[in-house]
C-alpha cells in the first residue's frame, strides 16, 4: 500500500524545491495571523519552514534545544514573543509592525 503524504509533508517538499517562494509565504501567514489570530496555523506554518531550514541548525541559532524548538512550534506550543522573534530572525526575517486600516481594527 502506498503511503500518502500529509499536507505539512507536501508543503515541506514544495518549499525545499521552491525556496524562492518562502518570502511570500511568510508574508501571507503573518497577514493571515493578523486577521484571524489563529496561533495554531501560524505555528504549523513556522514548523514546516523550520524543517525546511533544518530544525537542529535553527535551534542552535535561536539558542534552544531541538526539542525545545519543536515544542514551541507544536500544536500545543505557546511560545513567547521573544521565541517567535528569534525563530523568524533565524530564518532571515524580522517582525515589523504594519499599520492596518481603521475599518479592520476591532
Amino acid at each position: 500500500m502506498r503511503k500518502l503524504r500529509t499536507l505539512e509533508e507536501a508543503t515541506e517538499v514544495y518549499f525545499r524545491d521552491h525556496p524562492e517562494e518562502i518570502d511570500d509565504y511568510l508574508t501571507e501567514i503573518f497577514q493571515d495571523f493578523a486577521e484571524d489570530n489563529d496561533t495554531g496555523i501560524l505555528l504549523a506554518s513556522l514548523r514546516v519552514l523550520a524543517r525546511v531550514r533544518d530544525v537542529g541548525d535553527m535551534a542552535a541559532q535561536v539558542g534552544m534545544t531541538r526539542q525545545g524548538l519543536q515544542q514551541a512550534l507544536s500544536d500545543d506550543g505557546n511560545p513567547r514573543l521573544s521565541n517567535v522573534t528569534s525563530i523568524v530572525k533565524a530564518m532571515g526575517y524580522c517582525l515589523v509592525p504594519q499599520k492596518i486600516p481603521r475599518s479592520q481594527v476591532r
Side-chain angles (χ1 to χ4, degrees), residues 16-74:
R16 284 188 194 283
D17 293 342
H18 301 92
E20 70 280 1
E21 299 285 333
I22 292 174
D23 290 350
D24 290 337
Y25 183 67
L26 274 170
T27 300
E28 286 293 320
I29 64 173
F30 277 98
Q31 284 177 341
D32 288 349
F33 177 71
E35 292 172 13
D36 61 24
N37 287 329
D38 192 331
T39 306
I41 292 174
L42 177 66
L43 294 178
S45 298
L46 291 175
R47 183 170 54 243
V48 167
L49 294 177
R51 286 197 304 264
V52 169
R53 300 282 175 115
D54 187 275
V55 175
D57 289 344
M58 185 169 293
Q61 288 178 322
V62 172
M64 299 174 78
T65 64
R66 180 185 181 98
Q67 183 178 10
L69 178 60
Q70 289 173 327
Q71 175 60 36
L73 296 177
S74 74

